[in-house]
Each structure stands twice: as structure tokens, then as C-alpha cells.
Amino acid sequence: MSFRIDIISLLPTLIESPFNASILKRAQQKDLVEINIHDLREYGQGKHKQVDDYAFGGGAGMVMLAQPIFECIEKLKKERVYDAIVYTTPDGARFNQKMANKLSLLNNVIILCGHYKGIDQRVRESLITHEISIGDYVLSGGEIAAAVISDAIVRLIPGVLNDGSSALTDSFQDDLLAPPIYTRPANFKGMKVPEILLSGDSKRIDEWRNEQAIEITRSRRPDLFS
Ligand code: 6GU
């Protein structure tokens, strides 16, 4: 069964390019994933296709209206059952590899990109199943976060990476950072590749890589050991 992601955004052009290159592009060409980008503006009402308004109670910044979001999501839901409706927002749960792994096991996912001051709270309470932030900093919109989340999910779908095992050996996949890697030449400007990697002894190489991964994790990200 193929994976489908529907991304709902006020700035659809902002998210197109990451999906039209490299691994994400090839995944779509191989029909392993279908990515659809929806322009929320098309669901706005009136001459100006209104999608936002002032916040009740005052305060700076516009709030995304419930009506266009409801209409867009209701239309999608008529066509298929969605396993997750994600909203990208800096006050969401912090995205990590575990969440990417879980989401990659689903089939139909909507990602609603937040904008301006955010969306009407009633959308969050009645439609959204997952609220996700990609880190402790503020982006001008949820589009780049949606691209990050989609990339992390899609590369885990079986068949997307050429070497099926490589997604499992990534940093974070076993709560360890990745060990150093080298390619030719074995001696570059006097800087030599560790001898062990040239030995052909795959058991000792695996042990070395594991020791390196543990040491790098200990020095850079001791929090991953807890
Ligand atoms: Cl998901 N959205 C925005 N606007 N800023 C963020 C974020 C999301 N994650 C981290 N910063």
C-alpha cells in the first residue's frame, strides 16, 4: 500500500521544491508516496477569498480562520480515512526520530501548515490529532517544518532508500550518533583513514564503529543516554 501526504498551506510554492528533488522526488516517481499540496486560499470565502482575521480580545497578528481549514479537511476526509492530521506549530510536541518512525507506519496523513499567529483554537480541538514543532526556535511559517517532517517520514518507507538497511543505521535510530565515515583516497593531504577501516575485518570494523558512536554520543549528546 502506498503512503499519501496531503499538505495544506497558504504558501504552497514555498514547499514544492524539496519534494521535486533527490530522494523525495524518486519516492513519488516509484509510486511509494503520493504528496499533494493544497492551497488553503482556494477555500476562503468572498471576493478576497479571506483566510484570516483579527484575534478576538485583541493583540497583534492575524489568526487563520476555522472555515477554510474545515472545508479543506472535510473535503479530503470524504475521499479517504486519515490516520493523522498534523498541525505544525512552535508550541507542539518536539519532533524526533521516534515520532518519524511511528508516522511512517501510517498510510494517509494530512499536514496543516500554521501561519501568522496561528489557527483558531477550535480547529486544534476538533480536527488536529498531532501538534508538532521541529525545534525550540520560531519559523515564519509551518511550511519548512512540514517539509522536514515529510522528509523524515518518507525516507523510512520501505523501498525509498536504495539500501533498505541504511535508514536503520542513521544517527538517532538507535539513540546513538553516527560514527565517522571516510571514502577514497586513504591518504588525503597526509590525513589518513583509520587503519582498521582498511583491514577488511568486518567484525572489528563494526566494533570500532560502535565504540566511536558511543564516544561521540557521550561527548556531544549525553542526554541521549538517559
Ligand atoms: Cl512547526 N512552526 C513554526 N512556525 N515555527 C517552528 C516550528 C513550527 N517548529 C519550530 N519552530
Side-chain angles (χ1 to χ4, degrees), residues 88-90 132-142 145:
T88 56
T89 176
I132 298 179
S133 158
I134 62 163
D136 292 341
Y137 40 79
V138 179
L139 302 170
S140 17

Side-chain angles (χ1 to χ4, degrees), residues 163-224:
D163 172 5
S165 69
S166 74
L168 297 174
T169 58
D170 289 333
S171 283
F172 291 107
Q173 205 47 280
D174 50 8
D175 285 331
L176 287 177
L177 301 183
I181 52 165
Y182 301 86
T183 185
R184 285 182 288 188
N187 183 338
F188 179 68
K189 296 184 191 292
M191 296 179 283
K192 292 188 181 135
V193 170
E195 204 63 52
I196 176 89
L197 296 177
L198 311 174
S199 70
D201 184 338
S202 61
K203 185 165 170 280
R204 285 183 55 229
I205 290 171
D206 283 350
E207 282 164 11
W208 180 86
R209 285 183 169 152
N210 194 246
E211 286 160 18
Q212 292 286 317
I214 290 169
E215 191 40 47
I216 287 166
T217 308
R218 198 192 316 283
S219 68
R220 294 189 186 174
R221 293 292 306 276
D223 57 295
L224 293 177

